[in-house]
């Protein structure tokens, strides 16, 4: 839900308050999941009143979709800024994987990936969420496939590889890494996963 589509009227929070509320709500949902998050959790987490939340987002589901959109947007910006940077495409791919590996091994890795958690919890019965998750996964796969094709054009990645297949394998590995982070994977394990993934590009 974009700010331009939020309902207007007396008592609605100002846009900067809404932006901050979405960020705070994202952190709450990310930690607790959709079903594990209560209205009280959201009020405590965002600092907005019950009435302000309803006026701004309609209901808990509307706020969740805004929070999920924010998570997706932030994640894509980080990924694309690395994969599309000038220079070696192979190095850029490795950088994204190492960043995920390091994140998975830190304390915040125990929260896992909000996208993966949301997919497991809600995709099967929530069309709005399913549409967003599918679109995000497609964007990630396309981004990696584009980087692989760029590496093939420069000669650093063999031309016989299928970019779409390789990108699917990479995305599967990244989501698996975030899941392993929730159960306490260590740096050595994650680094080995990255090095194995990179050998697929040889």
């Amino acid at each position: 839900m974009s700010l331009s589509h939020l309902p207007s009227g007396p008592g609605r929070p100002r846009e900067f308050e809404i932006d901050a509320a979405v960020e705070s709500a994202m952190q709450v949902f990310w930690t607790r999941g959709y079903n594990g998050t209560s209205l009280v959790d959201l009020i405590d987490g965002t600092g907005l009143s019950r009435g302000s939340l309803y006026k701004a987002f309609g209901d808990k589901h509307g706020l969740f979709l805004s929070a999920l959109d924010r998570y997706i947007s932030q994640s894509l910006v980080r990924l694309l800024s690395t994969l599309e940077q000038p220079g070696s495409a192979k190095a850029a791919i490795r950088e994204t994987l190492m960043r995920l590996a390091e994140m998975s091994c830190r304390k915040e890795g125990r929260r896992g990936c909000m996208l993966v958690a949301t997919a497991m919890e809600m995709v099967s019965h929530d069309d709005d969420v399913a549409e967003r998750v599918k679109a995000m996964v497609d964007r990630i796969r396309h981004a990696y496939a584009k980087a692989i094709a760029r590496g093939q054009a420069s000669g650093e990645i063999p031309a016989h590889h299928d970019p779409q297949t390789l990108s699917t394998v990479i995305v599967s590995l990244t989501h698996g890494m975030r899941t392993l982070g929730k159960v306490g994977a260590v740096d050595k394990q994650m680094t080995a996963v990255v090095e194995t993934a990179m050998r697929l590009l040889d």
Side-chain angles (χ1 to χ4, degrees), residues 2 12 28 36 39 43 49 60 62 64 73 79 118-119 121 129 131 133 143 147-148 159 182-183 186 196:
S2 66
R12 185 174 74 82
V28 175
L39 184 59
I43 290 172
S49 68
K60 173 185 169 181
F64 178 77
S73 176
L79 179 67
T118 297
E121 183 180 10
V129 169
E131 179 181 356
V133 171
I148 292 167
K182 288 182 67 65
V183 296
V186 298
T196 300

Side-chain angles (χ1 to χ4, degrees), residues 10-44:
R12 185 174 74 82
R14 288 169 291 185
E15 289 194 358
F16 77 89
E17 292 176 318
I18 292 173
D19 189 60
V22 172
E23 173 66 29
S24 297
M26 183 187 78
Q27 298 299 330
V28 175
F29 283 124
W30 189 356
T31 300
R32 304 179 68 89
Y34 181 78
N35 291 319
T37 298
S38 68
L39 184 59
V40 172
D41 294 326
L42 294 171
I43 290 172
D44 290 344

Side-chain angles (χ1 to χ4, degrees), residues 144-145 148 152 157-158 161-171 197 200-201:
Y144 276 112
I148 292 167
Q152 290 176 320
I157 297 176
H161 289 308
D162 175 35
Q164 296 297 329
T165 299
L166 278 181
S167 68
T168 300
V169 172
I170 290 173
V171 171
L200 296 175
L201 303 179

Side-chain angles (χ1 to χ4, degrees), residues 88 96 143 145 186 188 201:
S88 167
T96 66
V186 298
K188 184 178 180 180
L201 303 179

Side-chain angles (χ1 to χ4, degrees), residues 1-7 56 66 69 132:
M1 180 185 293
S2 66
L3 295 181
S4 61
H5 291 98
L6 291 172
S66 292
D69 286 343
R132 284 165 166 79

